[in-house]
Amino acid sequence: MSTNVVTFTIDGVEIKSAPDKTIIQAADDAGIYIPRLCYLKDLPPGGHCRVCTVKVNGRPVNSCTYPVAEGIVVENDIEELNSFRRNIIEMLFVEGNHFCPSCEVAGKCELQALAYRLGLLTPQMPYLYAQKELDATHPDVYLDRNRCVLCGRCVRASIHLDKKNVFGFENRGINMKISVNSNDGLQDTNLSKEDKAMSVCPTGCLVVKRQGYLTPVGKRLYDKKPIGSEIETKKVKS
Amino acid sequence: MSTKTAGRKIVINPVTRVEGHGKVTILLDEKGNVQQSRFHIIEFRGFERFVQGRFYWEAPTIVQRLCGICPVSHHLCAAKATDMIVGAKTLTPTAEKMRRLMHYGQTLQSHALHFFHLCSPDLLFGFDAPVEQRNVIGVIKADPETAKKAVLLRKYGQEIIKATAGKKVHGTGAIPGGINKNLSKEERDVFLKDIDTILQWSVEALELCKKIVKEKLDFFLKFGAFDSNHLSIVRKDGCLDLYDGLLRAKTADGKIIFDMVKPEDYLDYIAEEVRPWSYMKFPFIRSLGKEKGWYRVGPLARINNCDFIDTPLAEKERQELMSLSGGKPINASMVYHWTRLIEMLHSAEKIKILLNDPDLQGTNLITQGTKQKRGVAWIEAPRGTLFHHYEINDNDQIVLANLIVSTTNNNEPMNQVVNVLAKDYLQGKSEITEGLLNTIEVGIRAYDPCLSCATHALGQMPLQVQIVDHKGELVHELIRG
Ligand code: SF4
Ligand code: SF4
Ligand code: FES
């Protein structure tokens, strides 16, 4: 057995992967979609959201942080886990203030697309109707915390890709929120609309201004194909 | 209030086949004479608050949810207001024509719905026909061919909306400064194939309406008739224009009150009165004051106000209609139906012209100029003039929104029609019959009010009638449904 390759299974499918990969990376390469929210290919994993939870040898782990290993048995697309993922997505919906029908990122929003893919049409949990702040002070971008899922992608992108450190988390638990490194909101940060951080938000929270609704309904990212199909098509090709 | 305790009160609640929920109160004195009539509308004005703090480009998509019946009008009117905000003085031909196509599609489907589903049962079966027959199911049974055409006419309009806005209801097509898609040749060809049939059916619907009205012309001209001012937008040259133009107001006998008013000046000409018993405001023409300044809007006002129509079939019909009054405004409520169908025909003609225009396949979709803090626009929604006014701050957020919706503009006329009909038909009667009450509904329905919750159940909605004596005690109650 070569030390450069490990072999394991996801839902019974045999996968070969380099040993330094995480499960989600190996799955992506193999064209198997593991639902995720805070993980993004070009960023270090955050391990915040737990949507990517899989079972490894029967034990639940984050697939975005857990390394592959020889012979492990990974379970992914099973109802037990999908229902768990649905619960997380549902909680994110009721904790925030999401009004998809008029939201400018509807159709390309990962939260909305995950809800559709996992079969969550209407949350059953009570809405919290929490007061959240909208920071519109920056001339070119806005931060609408009503739609933030605290995935931390912006935090990591600003640090690792833009070398700026504009975003961070404040408070804990239910009071946790995304903050910016200035007392006067985004206008006083060195964030620019060209920053990589501006293209990583999975929802309509961190958004470039005056770009809304440019793509007609029917042509938006997830109008025709569900989220994850971009990964699954790789499998079909190979 | 003293008037409430002085006599009997008849309440008709809810008005069936009105799109939404309303309540009619007719207050009779001890002798049974009509003392006062009110049409109560539960209208949700929360949207003006709801959009505060949101971004101006969200307005067209948010405010259209005011209404599930004519969302396109709100969508387009808000988009036009945001055109002003982004400094788009003139849209690209493709954007302007796509939006117009959307609007004519909306007018076609809305007028078709109203005529066939809501009004034709009254016209075809008589106002006091049994309620089991006097509904759209009755129409389908009596005349399945016409009913089928009604459904297809409406569908055609809805498909146009989908092709221009992305969805049949609550699309996103119009954006500040333009539109987000053009019409592909494939999409166009589907519509072109059927447009002549649609035109033909629009003519037939109008002929049917005219035949019924002409058979009892005197009756229809008098039924619920009252003098009013008329308000609408017209094109610069006085032509009927449902999508854009300048504001014109005429008196009941046709004198111009004001003309060629620009949207940004609307507050100099129109004011709104609040009355304690109604959630809905009462707009009026400032120069005439609250008492005399109220006006009609909608198809009747538009046909009365315009000098001509720029599509041949509709113009011929306009001339025929206006010859009834020697060219002066017509002040008969039931003529709304006739004018509505002239506009349906006009919309079909306009759709045909637009479909043959290669500009719809253009790719230049958006214009912008110098940003402004204030955006005001209007549009002729199927039910009448609709005003949208927004002001934004330096951060692009809406800080003020004022909407005057078509049904609000027609608020006083609807109260008037109830009053006139109550005086004519309920006077002195001790027994309230279904037919009698429906007479009042028929009058209101002529105005096609679209109330905020579109929960009409086509003849199945229970109708509650109450007579309350001067001591506040219930003396007679009629419940149907
Ligand atoms: S951010 Fe996504 S989930 Fe939230 S309102 Fe917008 S589309 Fe819906
Ligand atoms: S702003 Fe967007 S990217 Fe940042 S934490 Fe919130 S949802 Fe994630
Ligand atoms: S994607 Fe793995 S924890 Fe969020």
Side-chain angles (χ1 to χ4, degrees), chain B residues 25 103 110 139 158 195 197 305 391 393 475:
Chain B
T25 308
H103 192 49
S110 174
V139 178
Q158 286 174 321
I195 185 62
T197 313
N305 266 4
E391 298 199 5
N393 64 14
V475 291

Side-chain angles (χ1 to χ4, degrees), chain B residues 44 50 76 87 105 136 145 193 195 266 322 324 458 464 466:
Chain B
F44 178 60
F50 196 59
L76 287 174
V136 71
E145 238 346 86
K193 188 165 63 60
I195 185 62
Y266 85 105
M322 297 315 286
L324 290 181
L458 300 180
Q464 189 188 11
Q466 288 187 332

Side-chain angles (χ1 to χ4, degrees), chain A residues 37-38 142-145 147-156 167-169 177-178 197 200-207:
Chain A
L37 196 51
C38 68
Y142 70 80
L143 183 70
D144 185 352
R145 293 183 179 88
R147 303 169 183 158
C148 182
V149 291
L150 299 171
C151 68
R153 284 188 190 176
C154 55
V155 179
R156 282 171 281 145
F167 302 97
F169 290 118
K177 64 173 192 175
I178 203 80
V200 299
C201 182
T203 70
C205 179
L206 185 58
V207 179

